[in-house]
Amino acid sequence: MERYEHTTQRRPWVVGVSGASGTPYAAAVVRGLLAAGEAVDLVVSRASRLTLLDETGIAFRDAHWRDDLRAWLALGADGKPATFDVDVSDVRYWAAGDLAAGPSSGSYPVKGMLIVPASTACVAGVAMGLSKDLLQRVASVTLKERRPLIVAVRETPLSGQTLRQLVALDEAGAVVLPASPAFYAGATHIQDLVDFVAGRVLDAAGVPHRLYRRWEGELGGASGPRRAG
């Protein structure tokens, strides 16, 4: 009988970026995952490339994805370049049209999926199981395999149809997490608001971070000294 030797297997979080406004949220989530020592498999939808270009000026290209990703993750939420220094060596990129990609199969080992930001079109596609591109396919696989799926929807106002689709996702086991910044953490910069949403996404995934000041039950705590790190 052949002996099975245990090896440490890479088990990434899949981060799906859809076409909704909010690419700084996605960048903060990826930075947070990497800072926590997590591996990342990245799927950037075709629509999100247009949003990324509009919000950051960065053209995300399949052939140069690593350089483009570095430039994107280095940006602050205010658009200032070289704000962050990020090692992307543990990121694997899959093209949105590659339906034969690893994460398209339930046998591919992942911890779960974070869709940040999630457009209403993405929400509809995932709720109806359309799998029209890799992002939607991975979300469907995540649900059927009973893995964590966090959907950071970014749209306002929400129509009744979208609300029903979000309820369907909740009933299917996903965590519906609106990209809604809070102010009790003492935000003084746009990056603080972005990091709050990213931190809540990571909270839902059970990934440790220090992206925002947590509520400790004391009124006025937000006006005290900012957290370190």
Side-chain angles (χ1 to χ4, degrees), residues 3 21 23 45 50 80-81 85 89-90 99-100 109 113 118 129 135-136 152 160 166 180 192 208-209 213 216 227 229:
R3 181 180 178 182
S21 176
T23 55
S45 76
L50 298 176
K80 183 180 178 180
D85 183 15
S89 60
D90 210 2
L99 293 178
M113 184 179 192
L135 194 157
Q136 292 183 12
L166 291 172
S180 302
D192 298 325
H209 66 86
R213 184 201 304 273
E216 297 180 349
R227 57 167 173 77

Side-chain angles (χ1 to χ4, degrees), residues 19-40:
S21 176
T23 55
Y25 293 133
V29 166
V30 172
R31 287 194 299 264
L33 288 169
L34 295 175
E38 300 285 347
V40 173

Side-chain angles (χ1 to χ4, degrees), residues 165-186:
Q165 290 160 348
L166 291 172
V167 169
L169 289 179
D170 176 80
E171 291 174 344
V175 173
V176 175
L177 195 153
S180 302
F183 296 86
Y184 64 79

Side-chain angles (χ1 to χ4, degrees), residues 15 17 22-36 38 40 42 52 55-56 69-78 83-84 86 114 116-117 152 179 190-203 207-212 227:
V15 176
V17 187
T23 55
Y25 293 133
V29 166
V30 172
R31 287 194 299 264
L33 288 169
L34 295 175
E38 300 285 347
V40 173
L42 181 66
L52 182 63
E55 293 184 345
T56 69
L69 178 62
R70 286 194 191 97
W72 176 25
L73 297 184
L75 281 179
D78 58 0
T83 299
F84 300 99
V86 184
L114 318 174
V116 188
I190 186 174
Q191 189 67 55
D192 298 325
L193 298 176
V194 168
D195 285 349
F196 178 87
V197 172
R200 295 299 287 149
V201 171
L202 295 178
D203 284 346
V207 175
H209 66 86
R210 298 181 65 191
L211 288 175
Y212 69 88
R227 57 167 173 77

